[in-house]
Amino acid sequence: MSTVPTPEQPKKKRLTRRELERRRMLIRSGAAGAVAVTAALVGLYPVKAQVFDRLRPPGALPENDFLAACIKCGQCVQVCPVEAIKLGDGTEGYGLGVPYIDARGQACDFSCDAVQCVLACPTGALSHDISAKEEVFIGKARLARPSSCLAMKGLGFEGHARGQDFEGLLRYEEIDRWTPIKIADHPYDLELCDLCVRECPIEDAIYLEPLSGDDGDARHQPIITDKCVGCGTCEMICPTEPAAIVIDTEQSIERQKGAVS
């Protein structure tokens, strides 16, 4: 019985050392590119997903323009007299090093009056068209927890607004127009709590309105007007925990508008 001979398999060509090295380089380059793209997407995600919804310093451009223009130099941080401006940490992706304000921890109380952070910004990320504190837009105050508000309950306040250990600073014009002091060093004794109105640096940005026409009803509601610039002083000084009044950011305001429409 005859058998059909099987064709010999072609021998695999052995790669030269140079070809092997070239192949390794291509593999390394591809892997490095994949890592870079992944890292970029990971860094971009917190910004696009608005994971970190931040109050920006006075004069900040609209969020996307601000992120594009800010070079993270930290000059605004250096000149802030109350150290209200912080820099984003490594968890914020492309937000790393981008300046922001945590109003509850330390508000912008405009102790500089001339908006020094705007003057210090070298790129215009903080608009150089701003020349007065009344012209800025950081956010907008909102009575987020009416049931916690002491004024809404008709109650006064006595003692330290945020406790004796609070490190926050505030400019008290009746004490020193230019030198902020610790809020913990300035106790209050108020028949009706009006701290948000009393310490607001923007005239007519917030006022108290009686809840009824009854002279015996001490309850009042904080009313925020269009003059509010969102500096955060009201949120910082609010003695309730958490604060009854908060500052909405540009992004959260836009989301609220979208939900209403």
Side-chain angles (χ1 to χ4, degrees), residues 125-176:
L126 305 182
S127 174
H128 290 189
D129 293 335
I130 299 298
S131 60
K133 60 183 186 291
E134 290 82 6
E135 298 173 355
V136 309
F137 176 78
I138 302 173
K140 184 71 178 290
R142 174 172 57 90
L143 184 61
R145 302 177 181 90
S147 61
S148 300
C149 177
L150 297 181
M152 290 284 285
K153 297 178 180 179
L155 300 177
F157 179 79
E158 182 177 354
H160 300 85
R162 296 290 306 282
Q164 293 180 320
D165 296 329
F166 184 59
E167 296 292 326
L169 302 174
L170 188 65
R171 177 183 64 172
Y172 294 92
E173 291 199 24
E174 67 274 17
I175 298 175
D176 187 334

Side-chain angles (χ1 to χ4, degrees), residues 40-133:
L41 291 175
V42 170
L44 184 61
Y45 172 76
V47 174
K48 289 300 183 182
Q50 300 178 357
V51 173
F52 297 94
D53 193 0
R54 299 298 200 183
L55 293 172
R56 298 306 182 189
L61 299 175
E63 184 69 5
N64 289 338
D65 295 335
F66 174 74
L67 292 173
C70 176
I71 59 173
K72 308 176 183 181
C73 65
Q75 291 299 308
C76 55
V77 176
Q78 298 297 321
V79 299
C80 181
V82 292
E83 300 181 3
I85 305 175
K86 309 297 182 184
L87 297 179
D89 60 28
T91 63
E92 300 193 27
Y94 284 161
L96 172 65
V98 178
Y100 71 93
I101 293 174
D102 174 11
R104 187 62 171 163
Q106 177 60 63
C108 168
D109 77 335
F110 298 110
S111 292
C112 58
D113 273 355
V115 199
Q116 293 299 316
C117 53
V118 169
L119 299 178
C121 180
T123 66
L126 305 182
S127 174
H128 290 189
D129 293 335
I130 299 298
S131 60
K133 60 183 186 291

Side-chain angles (χ1 to χ4, degrees), residues 189-210:
D189 186 4
L190 307 174
E191 185 175 346
L192 177 67
C193 182
D194 65 347
L195 289 172
C196 55
V197 177
R198 178 183 297 263
E199 304 306 348
C200 178
I202 305 296
E203 188 175 358
D204 299 327
I206 184 171
Y207 65 92
L208 292 183
E209 181 177 82

